[in-house]
Amino acid sequence: MKKNLIRFLIFSFLFAVSFFINSCDRETQPPNDNQPPGTTIANIPVASDTLFALVTLYWDGEDNDGFVNEYQYRYITYRLTMGDSIVQEWKTTKEQTLTIPFLSDDVLNKQVFQVRSVDNWGAVDPTPAEKIFYTVKTIFPTTAITYPKNNNTYFVVQNLTDWWGGIKLDFVGHDQDGEIVEYAWKVDDGEWTWTNDTTITITPDKFKSPLTGTHTLKVTSRDDTNLVDSVGATVTINLVNPSFTKKVLVIDATTESNFPGSLPKPTDAQIDSFYAQVFNTTDTWDLIKEGKMPSPDVLGQYKVVVWHSDDMPFTKPHVIKNYIEPLTDYLNVGGKLIIGGWRILKSFAWDVNFPAVFEADHFVNQYLHIVSVDETPLIPGDMNKCTGVGELYSDLKIDSVKLAGFPYNGKLSNVNIIELPAGFTDGIFTYQNAANSPLFAYRGKIVGLRYYGTVFDAVVFGFPMYFLDIQSAKTMANEVLTQMGVN
């Protein structure tokens, strides 16, 4: 019995070993092959419909043994009038709907759109879903440069400053059958830079060498059907670096015929002679005769520009408000400016009741550094002198002979009072009148202001300098120019 049990155990062991060996050697059933995914496309838009070239399409995918990981799509354009076709490359997307700008530059274009699914194993649908429709011809966009102006001259400096950041470039685009989605610009022979902005600033490093001289700016645009303005817009500009080798240029913006009828009318030669003596220069630009500002290559030669508008405006302001841009450009590159005139600050806010406040981005606030201004009345003539502030500036006498008529009676009226200066300024002359004047509230108010900046300086007089006594005017000019670092 015991021997039989031992035989049974040995037999069972050998059988188990044999079964294990045989089962390891037996081939297993191979797994099922991965099946490619399928793709369907929605019936939107309707097949064979005629559409605008910007078309929204919808699709879906299915995979019975995995999942759809992404999609690939392309389209083929048959240009029916031209008689040719263009095949686009396959593109990959995770999306199941896209708005696609189709090439549509023929009168009528047959579009064959194809989309196929790609599954998690990389298998691609061998029979892409397809939709056929037609698109009408799209119109190319157009582009225009609004600034700078073609063949104009502009200031340039090598290094950027707080006030000068480069050459401004403004442009616009128009698309008759859609909208502009992107612009591109380039300088000289440089590369195109694409942007959504319509105003940019071109820094000096973008221009070919030399920086001064002639340069070409180009702009184009792309619309929502991927059409690019093939013509674009081009301007040629000349850049000059200010030399500031000369001292003072006087800009004569005084209209002698517009002096009050009760006062002796000076001639243009008399005005020119006065300023030539005061500022010790014969360099004058007659703005009334020329009808425009001197170009940057002229302005940039002078360390200081003196602007005078000494006639009395009654019905319209002085023209200085029309020349803010060239004055700003001159200051931005380091020029110095002296402004004076009858109702000169009033001319920047002609239709505003005084006292007036100038906003932070207004030329008067931003560049002349004046926040608010008032004006004395026309009657009576009241300012009989200006008091110099501190030890740096002397008192100024009014030339009563030039103001002998009514209602002035030897004194100035309609004087612009600087009520609130901005930062980095000094009041350098103040309003003075007789001790018994009814306009005592103006006494001691600022009528002459200096702004001293990191890049430019500016001095503003709220009255016409021509009516100063000639010796006082010479002293004033000498002291002001000295403090500006010009003398």
Side-chain angles (χ1 to χ4, degrees), residues 191-459:
E191 298 294 324
W192 287 104
T193 299
W194 288 93
T195 178
N196 295 119
D197 297 324
T198 56
T199 295
I200 63 160
T201 301
I202 305 174
T203 52
D205 58 292
K206 298 296 192 298
F207 294 90
K208 68 180 181 182
S209 183
L211 182 58
T212 57
T214 301
H215 297 275
T216 301
L217 308 181
K218 297 181 180 180
V219 174
T220 189
S221 59
R222 187 198 313 275
D223 70 9
D224 52 0
T225 62
N226 271 341
L227 291 182
V228 176
D229 180 359
S230 58
V231 177
T234 303
V235 296
T236 299
I237 60 174
N238 185 51
L239 300 182
V240 297
N241 196 322
S243 63
F244 301 133
T245 54
K246 299 180 180 180
K247 187 175 177 183
V248 177
L249 174 66
V250 176
I251 296 183
D252 178 1
T254 297
T255 304
E256 289 75 21
S257 61
N258 202 35
F259 273 73
S262 60
L263 300 182
K265 284 185 172 58
T267 64
D268 182 61
Q270 287 175 310
I271 296 286
D272 290 345
S273 175
F274 174 84
Y275 279 95
Q277 293 178 69
V278 170
F279 288 96
N280 193 28
T281 182
T282 57
D283 294 348
T284 300
W285 182 274
D286 195 317
L287 191 71
I288 307 303
K289 292 180 181 178
E290 298 291 341
K292 61 181 180 179
M293 284 284 286
S295 64
D297 52 347
V298 174
L299 277 179
Q301 298 178 46
Y302 294 91
K303 298 176 182 177
V304 180
V305 167
V306 177
W307 177 294
H308 65 82
S309 296
D310 289 344
D311 55 296
M312 170 67 87
F314 283 107
T315 59
K316 60 182 181 180
H318 288 302
V319 296
I320 189 170
K321 63 178 298 185
N322 301 329
Y323 296 97
I324 288 176
E325 184 177 295
L327 290 174
T328 297
D329 292 342
Y330 171 71
L331 293 173
N332 283 341
V333 294
K336 301 178 188 295
L337 180 64
I338 299 173
I339 292 177
W342 219 337
R343 311 190 78 188
I344 189 70
L345 295 172
K346 174 65 177 173
S347 294
F348 287 102
W350 189 254
D351 297 321
V352 178
N353 292 328
F354 269 39
V357 175
F358 293 97
E359 299 296 330
D361 59 349
H362 193 286
F363 174 76
V364 172
N365 189 320
Q366 189 174 14
Y367 284 87
L368 305 184
H369 283 248
I370 297 171
V371 178
S372 64
V373 179
D374 202 356
E375 185 173 68
T376 65
L378 172 63
I379 301 174
D382 188 63
M383 190 173 83
N384 58 13
K385 72 172 185 177
C386 299
T387 299
V389 177
E391 298 179 356
L392 299 177
Y393 301 97
S394 304
D395 294 348
L396 306 178
K397 297 179 181 178
I398 301 298
D399 190 336
S400 59
V401 175
K402 295 177 182 178
L403 291 161
F406 177 84
Y408 308 101
N409 300 320
K411 304 178 185 68
L412 270 171
S413 63
N414 284 130
V415 175
N416 287 161
I417 303 292
I418 300 167
E419 292 282 4
L420 179 61
F424 305 101
T425 58
D426 286 331
I428 57 178
F429 295 102
T430 60
Y431 186 102
Q432 296 300 323
N433 52 14
N436 60 350
S437 169
L439 303 179
F440 58 85
Y442 296 112
R443 192 177 302 144
K445 295 291 185 69
I446 298 173
V447 293
L449 184 78
R450 179 198 170 195
Y451 163 70
Y452 45 95
T454 56
V455 173
F456 66 88
D457 291 351
V459 170

Side-chain angles (χ1 to χ4, degrees), residues 115-159:
V115 60
R116 61 192 185 188
S117 303
V118 181
D119 71 10
N120 54 303
W121 290 99
V124 178
D125 183 354
T127 57
E130 187 173 277
K131 180 176 286 292
I132 299 174
F133 52 88
Y134 298 85
T135 59
V136 295
K137 185 175 184 178
T138 50
I139 301 173
F140 280 84
T142 57
T143 322
I145 296 173
T146 57
Y147 185 92
K149 300 298 183 183
N150 192 39
N151 295 324
N152 276 15
T153 300
Y154 298 89
F155 287 118
V156 68
V157 290
Q158 188 67 52
N159 298 316

